[in-house]
Amino acid sequence: MVVPDETPLRLVHGGRWVVSRAWVGELTGASAGTLARWYAERHVQPEARRHPEVVHTVGRTHYFDQQAVEAFWAVWQEEVGTGRLGRAGRKPGSPATGGADRAQRERAVSVALAVLREEGGYRRGLAAQLAREHGGVARSWQRAVGEARAVFESEQGAGRDAAP
């Protein structure tokens, strides 16, 4: 039964079952942010792993072909897995540092610091180069290079202050 102000999660359109984004979230366990990203970035995914297109709209609710969604989800689980599903971003009140994310950042800072020491200092484009060489997002590498640069510059300052 449909409550007057609520849109159904699933309905028949053109003789086929169509499902809303909320239904897809219930099927996959993905957060609203992940669902939005899958749809927004569908054009850059391989065809088999591409989120289905909207086939019907009721008010502001988009509906997708249920069979296409289920096929998409089966391929996604097989090729990508479900380990990164859930809420987008940090949970409210969680610390900005610590855990696996901080360990990964520390490794990135170590890599960046080694490059700074080898090259004798910072140069433009270093974060982008590290992102290409080691994978990951350029913005994350920019943060890691910033942290490494602070350590490197403090080491250089300490070296100048030391007596010969």
Side-chain angles (χ1 to χ4, degrees), residues 1-8 58 61:
M1 180 172 139
V2 176
V3 179
D5 288 350
E6 289 186 15
T7 324
V58 174
T61 303

Side-chain angles (χ1 to χ4, degrees), residues 13-53:
H13 173 72
R16 297 185 59 97
W17 282 104
V18 293
V19 296
S20 68
R21 187 173 283 172
W23 187 92
V24 177
E26 288 180 6
L27 171 72
T28 63
S31 71
T34 298
L35 295 169
R37 181 175 40 82
W38 282 344
Y39 185 74
E41 295 177 356
R42 67 192 174 284
H43 62 282
V44 298
Q45 294 294 329
E47 191 169 337
R49 202 170 63 219
R50 193 170 294 164
H51 190 285
E53 294 287 337

Side-chain angles (χ1 to χ4, degrees), residues 9 33 36 38 49-50 67 76 90 95 101 103 125 137 140 148 150 156 162:
L9 297 178
W38 282 344
R49 202 170 63 219
R50 193 170 294 164
Q67 286 183 338
W76 185 274
R90 266 194 304 276
D101 290 340
V137 180
S140 295
Q156 298 303 307

Side-chain angles (χ1 to χ4, degrees), residues 55-159:
V55 294
H56 183 60
T57 303
V58 174
R60 293 176 50 181
T61 303
H62 296 299
Y63 287 89
F64 310 92
D65 182 270
Q66 182 175 337
Q67 286 183 338
V69 168
E70 289 170 342
F72 154 77
W73 181 234
V75 171
W76 185 274
Q77 286 178 298
E78 186 176 305
E79 293 182 8
V80 179
T82 59
R84 296 191 48 102
L85 293 180
R87 295 179 56 91
R90 266 194 304 276
K91 292 179 181 156
S94 68
T97 60
D101 290 340
R102 186 61 197 172
Q104 186 175 7
R105 169 76 64 85
E106 290 297 333
R107 285 190 296 276
V109 170
S110 296
V111 168
L113 186 56
V115 172
L116 290 173
R117 288 174 179 153
E118 182 181 313
E119 294 183 359
Y122 173 78
R123 66 174 167 75
R124 225 181 129 119
L126 179 59
Q129 174 193 335
L130 293 173
R132 282 191 305 274
E133 290 176 2
H134 300 280
V137 180
R139 179 66 187 124
S140 295
W141 280 103
Q142 288 172 343
R143 288 190 211 83
V145 167
E147 286 185 38
R149 194 172 171 189
V151 171
F152 178 78
E153 289 172 359
S154 72
E155 290 175 352
Q156 298 303 307

